[in-house]
Amino acid sequence: MTPKPLLKYLLALSCSLPLFTSAQINPKLTSYVNPFIGTGAVKGSLSGNNYPGATVPFGMVQLSPDTRDEPEWDAACGYDHNDNFIAGFSHTHLSGTGAPDLFDILFMPYTGDEKTRAGNAQQAGSGYGSRFSHDHESARAGYYQVKLDDYGINVELTATEHAGFHKYTFPKNSQGRVVIDLNHSTKKPNFGCHVIAAQFHMVNDHAIEGFRVITGWAKLRKVYFYTEFNKPVKSNDLIDGGTQYFDQKLLNGTDLRAVLNFNTGDGSPLLAKVGLSTVSTQNAKLNLVTEIPGWDFNQTVAQANAKWETELDKIKVEGTEQQKQIFYTALYHTCIQPNNYADVNGDYTAIDYTVHNSKAGFYSTFSLWDTYRAANPLYTLIQPQRTAGFVNSMLSQYQAYGYLPIWQLWGQENYCMIGNHAIPVIVDAALKGIPGFDIRKAYEAVKNSSTTDHPGSPFKAWEKYHYMPENVLTQSVSVTLEMAYDDWCVAQLAKKLNKTADYAHFMERSQYFKNLYDTQSGFFRAKNNDGKWLSPFNPLQYGGNGGNPYTEGNAWQYYWYVPQDVKGLIALTGGDSKFTAKLDTFFTLDSKPGEVNGNASGFIGQYAHGNEPSHHITYLYNYAGQPWKTQYYVAKICRELYNTSSSGYAGNEDCGQMSAWYVFSAMGFYPVNPASSVYVIGTPVMRKVVMQLPLNKKFTVLAPNSSADNIYIQSAKLNGKAYTHTFITQQDITSGGTLEFVMGPKPNEHWGVALADRPVK
């Protein structure tokens, strides 16, 4: 029994202590997402090319500020953290790509009469835009906010799958206006960009709809919109180029802007809801009224945040606050795309420009040269249902177009990059038993896409020469290496389906990489169709995207691209010791000629983490019996080449690939061969990882003494039993269980070195 004086003291003490809610004890995972990570470079680096605006997982709409009137390569997402000017807020963006496009249906609020507006525009340097400060800007998952300094307007944005929701708080006693710009795009005429047709239609005094047909990196895109306001439009000024039409209800043209005037003097917010569609304004309206039926902005913010919480909850981690911020922002970035651009009724505009319907949705934005390496294998673990949707969407292109996507954007093929990397994505899903698609149709698609000539893939030459000649197709060494890998993937699916002859043929093709190996130089080199080596040869010289045998890299970086046969590559190199010695040189050779490609950054010797060809290389030491060196370099990259600043990525984030590398590596393993169902162990960054899997199973990784110093694996257990393999399998993970590491500050050169412990694929 507690004495009464003591009881009174304890009660008084309890009242004086701060109250800790369950949210404070277990903060939402979305609280660790920082959308500003990777939005702006520092000198000498790339940043990620990410935008900070509002979106929901895999949604069609990405409502974000554009800090350029005509975004170009250096701000392909539309936003650069180093800028202090906002041109407006457009509804579609690309996440971390190396090329710009979209920027559809730009909105920009402003105040004052036309004379005042013109003065502000001249002062700001462009258009209807405004200066801003990062001191008055914020963002979180599903929400963005900024104050426009030139107008004193506070802008808040959120989104649903197919709609954007704007909230503008104007200064009291101000004349509020909103510009809608249908000509805003990447710099014209890059990629042949121009608006083919556009239209405004004033539906009533609270609604406006329209469309634009535009061509650019993605050819001939149709974008329809329907907008509702919570306040009546007092008057409008529709503009085509330099011609103005006052209070007109309809306008067609190619350089359209609408200036809408509102009564905002009472200081109450102006709300605008904008639905998008690829099919029609009617469908844009249907999307809008279905997803945002009311006017509760905060409720839509909360719903967007809840959708993100659901996705992030699939992997729970314990680590430092900085590690969790990097991890969950990375996981957030992996779930931005591909984008489901089918309307709520299933309609979408297909690659043949006819309207198709899929109740399961239709996905686009496939940056496959990047994402097949790690992002797509990650989806097979935490997004199996969406993975089936991705595969079915790719198969839809095959049915209508004759071959699988190379780089698909807004439902259209742009042929960007090399290889046929829808193949490993589809084969990986098939081999892992992902349900929801026809495996035999999938095999037909991957086989025919590997035998039918199409832009960037001359298979007749491939079959004739057993390598790609540089004078037949430039970037020939990279093409040879990557097509050989794709062929290995086709062979594996053929084997699963008991297609013996196909298996033998594609396995033979998967070895064509050896035909470009030069024993004298010790590198893969280019030949013309006469079989002679191209000279002079400099393994440090970079290629870009044509005119050179290497794609966004050099001979050093592409030397290691044989993920289907690392054992064979080791043999070509001369065995384990020569292989690891060459890796040592690769990671320490700092010489960089002036031709370094703009995509190459994040250097450790010749390793360039800022671009995808290097991403698997740190893990190759495991194949040759020196896993502690893999542990060293993986820890170094996680620690030094990712951070929480606007320059938080070492290169373009590329639709989730740069982030997926961190997500996997921080958990402790990585898919060197993305279609093998094998994950190569690196070093766990997080003290604890719990991955939520289908059927209520969980896979846990424990490394309780992992730290900046303790980066080396001393021992491991899988499900309580000693484990010395330097890899785990898809089956190990999806069956559920626990992988536990004991970490230390010095290498254990006895763990994982035996032949039986090395990765086999």
Side-chain angles (χ1 to χ4, degrees):
M1 179 178 290
T2 306
K4 287 186 177 181
L6 179 57
L7 179 59
K8 292 176 68 174
Y9 170 77
L10 291 174
L11 288 172
L13 179 63
S14 67
C15 291
S16 68
L17 291 174
L19 295 177
F20 291 94
T21 66
S22 59
Q24 289 172 305
I25 297 171
N26 296 301
K28 283 189 174 183
L29 301 181
T30 52
S31 68
Y32 296 110
V33 173
N34 179 0
F36 291 111
I37 292 178
T39 58
V42 295
K43 185 177 180 182
S45 77
L46 297 175
S47 69
N49 229 334
N50 297 310
Y51 59 81
T55 190
V56 296
F58 306 100
M60 176 186 184
V61 166
Q62 307 87 33
L63 180 52
S64 189
D66 294 336
T67 61
R68 312 283 175 88
D69 279 315
E70 296 180 305
E72 293 191 74
W73 302 86
D74 58 342
C77 67
Y79 181 95
D80 189 328
H81 199 267
N82 297 298
D83 294 338
N84 63 359
F85 170 81
I86 288 176
F89 307 93
S90 60
H91 288 76
T92 58
H93 293 84
L94 291 170
S95 180
T97 57
D101 205 358
L102 306 184
F103 314 115
D104 295 304
I105 322 300
L106 179 136
F107 274 52
M108 184 65 185
Y110 72 96
T111 59
D113 57 25
E114 286 302 297
K115 183 177 180 181
T116 303
R117 181 205 63 75
N120 284 337
Q122 184 177 12
Q123 187 177 20
S126 181
Y128 290 85
S130 170
R131 292 166 296 183
F132 78 105
S133 166
H134 296 304
D135 293 337
H136 301 110
E137 182 187 34
S138 64
R140 57 183 185 270
Y143 173 84
Y144 173 84
Q145 172 274 328
V146 68
K147 182 180 179 182
L148 302 177
D149 288 343
D150 287 327
Y151 307 124
I153 302 170
N154 190 56
V155 174
E156 297 174 83
L157 309 173
T158 189
T160 63
E161 282 80 358
H162 301 88
F165 202 164
H166 305 239
K167 179 180 179 181
Y168 306 143
T169 303
F170 291 83
K172 285 190 176 181
N173 303 315
S174 66
Q175 174 62 56
R177 289 185 167 88
V178 175
V179 176
I180 306 175
D181 191 342
L182 300 188
N183 194 39
H184 176 71
S185 69
T186 188
K187 188 175 179 64
K188 304 176 181 72
N190 291 355
F191 295 113
C193 178
H194 66 282
V195 175
I196 297 169
Q199 182 188 88
F200 282 121
H201 173 217
M202 293 296 304
V203 179
N204 53 51
D205 66 350
H206 281 76
I208 183 172
E209 65 183 13
F211 67 84
R212 77 170 179 177
V213 181
I214 186 171
T215 192
W217 192 24
K219 305 304 177 188
L220 200 64
R221 296 187 304 110
K222 298 179 181 180
V223 189
Y224 297 87
F225 76 96
Y226 180 88
T227 299
E228 291 182 351
F229 298 95
N230 70 328
K231 295 185 178 186
V233 179
K234 292 173 54 182
S235 61
N236 73 69
D237 180 5
L238 303 185
I239 304 166
D240 184 9
T243 305
Q244 295 178 310
Y245 301 87
F246 294 99
D247 293 321
Q248 186 162 305
K249 289 188 175 182
L250 183 69
L251 183 64
N252 294 284
T254 58
D255 184 8
L256 299 190
R257 283 172 292 143
V259 180
L260 308 179
N261 302 300
F262 298 88
N263 184 356
T264 58
D266 63 358
S268 63
L270 173 66
L271 303 178
K273 302 185 296 185
V274 185
L276 296 191
S277 170
T278 69
V279 174
S280 66
T281 53
Q282 292 89 346
N283 274 24
K285 180 179 181 180
L286 177 64
N287 290 338
L288 179 61
V289 299
T290 301
E291 294 180 353
I292 316 179
W295 290 98
D296 192 332
F297 180 85
N298 291 336
Q299 181 184 46
T300 306
V301 172
Q303 290 170 345
N305 189 271
K307 290 179 185 293
W308 279 114
E309 188 71 16
T310 297
E311 299 304 328
L312 301 180
D313 192 56
K314 292 175 181 178
I315 306 180
K316 292 182 179 178
V317 301
E318 293 180 10
T320 67
E321 292 299 294
Q322 183 183 44
Q323 288 170 344
K324 287 190 285 187
Q325 191 174 145
I326 295 171
F327 184 92
Y328 282 113
T329 303
L331 189 57
Y332 164 84
H333 282 137
T334 67
C335 296
I336 288 177
Q337 63 294 291
N339 307 114
N340 177 19
Y341 86 1
D343 295 327
V344 294
N345 63 0
D347 288 348
Y348 66 94
T349 298
I351 195 169
D352 60 2
Y353 295 105
T354 63
V355 176
H356 293 204
N357 186 277
S358 172
K359 299 303 182 186
F362 177 83
Y363 291 88
S364 190
T365 315
F366 290 121
S367 184
L368 291 163
W369 185 79
D370 308 293
T371 63
Y372 85 95
R373 303 166 194 264
N376 287 102
L378 181 64
Y379 299 145
T380 66
L381 291 170
I382 63 173
Q383 301 286 348
Q385 185 174 354
R386 289 194 194 271
T387 294
F390 302 158
V391 171
N392 284 322
S393 298
M394 294 178 195
L395 295 179
S396 174
Q397 172 170 321
Y398 167 75
Q399 292 293 333
Y401 213 54
Y403 49 85
L404 291 165
I406 308 298
W407 212 123
Q408 190 200 86
L409 175 59
W410 204 260
Q412 297 302 311
E413 182 58 66
N414 64 27
Y415 306 111
C416 187
M417 305 309 296
I418 62 172
N420 292 264
H421 297 319
I423 291 171
V425 172
I426 292 173
V427 170
D428 183 42
L431 295 180
K432 289 174 178 174
I434 299 293
F437 65 93
D438 188 323
I439 190 171
R440 296 193 177 274
K441 287 184 179 179
Y443 181 70
E444 175 193 325
V446 300
K447 179 184 177 181
N448 289 344
S449 295
S450 300
T451 54
T452 303
D453 279 0
H454 54 274
S457 299
F459 288 107
K460 290 177 183 177
W462 184 239
E463 295 276 15
K464 179 178 180 179
Y465 298 105
H466 295 184
Y467 64 91
M468 191 57 65
E470 178 69 16
N471 61 340
V472 172
L473 182 65
T474 189
Q475 306 174 71
S476 60
V477 175
S478 296
V479 169
T480 295
L481 293 167
E482 296 196 20
M483 284 175 60
Y485 175 68
D486 291 339
D487 285 343
W488 180 88
C489 294
V490 179
Q492 304 315 300
L493 191 51
K495 182 179 181 180
K496 181 178 178 67
L497 296 176
N498 297 316
K499 297 182 180 294
T500 307
D502 284 355
Y503 171 74
H505 179 64
F506 284 103
M507 281 300 289
E508 179 185 0
R509 283 180 24 169
S510 77
Q511 293 292 303
Y512 285 177
F513 70 89
K514 293 179 180 177
N515 297 326
L516 289 187
Y517 183 71
D518 174 24
T519 56
Q520 185 173 355
S521 68
F523 288 95
F524 294 105
R525 289 182 58 186
K527 298 177 182 178
N528 283 332
N529 58 5
D530 60 7
K532 296 179 180 179
W533 298 116
L534 266 63
S535 293
F537 171 68
N538 176 5
L540 292 171
Q541 184 176 0
Y542 271 77
N545 299 99
N548 186 283
Y550 304 95
T551 300
E552 297 184 7
N554 63 17
W556 267 109
Q557 288 150 9
Y558 262 97
Y559 182 81
W560 315 100
Y561 192 79
V562 190
Q564 75 275 22
D565 190 10
V566 179
K567 184 178 179 180
L569 180 61
I570 292 172
L572 277 182
T573 312
D576 289 348
S577 61
K578 289 186 177 180
F579 185 78
T580 54
K582 190 156 189 167
L583 275 171
D584 291 344
T585 301
F586 174 75
F587 281 105
T588 55
L589 181 61
D590 288 328
S591 177
K592 299 182 186 72
E595 295 88 352
V596 170
N597 182 265
N599 284 300
S601 59
F603 282 98
I604 303 173
Q606 288 303 299
Y607 179 89
H609 192 67
N611 209 16
E612 281 69 23
S614 288
H615 276 189
H616 67 294
I617 302 175
T618 52
Y619 289 87
L620 296 183
Y621 281 108
N622 283 12
Y623 292 78
Q626 294 188 359
W628 63 90
K629 291 183 179 177
T630 284
Q631 296 156 31
Y632 171 80
Y633 283 113
V634 170
K636 181 179 178 68
I637 293 166
C638 287
R639 183 175 62 250
E640 297 179 6
L641 297 181
Y642 291 84
N643 62 62
T644 58
S645 77
S646 65
S647 59
Y649 289 91
N652 289 331
E653 206 276 329
D654 285 322
C655 292
Q657 170 57 27
M658 194 74 69
S659 291
W661 189 97
Y662 186 88
V663 170
F664 267 125
S665 296
M667 290 193 296
F669 46 88
Y670 184 83
V672 169
N673 179 341
S676 69
S677 298
V678 172
Y679 301 89
V680 181
I681 291 173
T683 183
V685 172
M686 299 298 175
R687 294 191 294 268
K688 182 178 181 180
V689 175
V690 180
M691 187 184 302
Q692 184 66 51
L693 303 166
L695 303 177
N696 291 320
K697 293 184 178 180
K698 296 180 180 180
F699 184 73
T700 301
V701 181
L702 299 175
N705 64 329
S706 175
S707 69
D709 295 322
N710 292 339
I711 64 172
Y712 295 106
I713 297 171
Q714 306 299 300
S715 63
K717 291 181 180 179
L718 180 62
N719 298 327
K721 297 180 180 179
Y723 195 77
T724 56
H725 296 325
T726 57
F727 64 93
I728 56 174
T729 67
Q730 182 83 1
Q731 187 64 39
D732 291 330
I733 296 173
T734 57
S735 295
T738 301
L739 178 63
E740 187 172 1
F741 295 101
V742 175
M743 309 300 294
K746 295 181 180 180
N748 176 1
E749 297 185 8
H750 301 288
W751 182 85
V753 301
L755 280 172
D757 290 325
R758 302 179 190 181
V760 292
K761 292 181 181 179

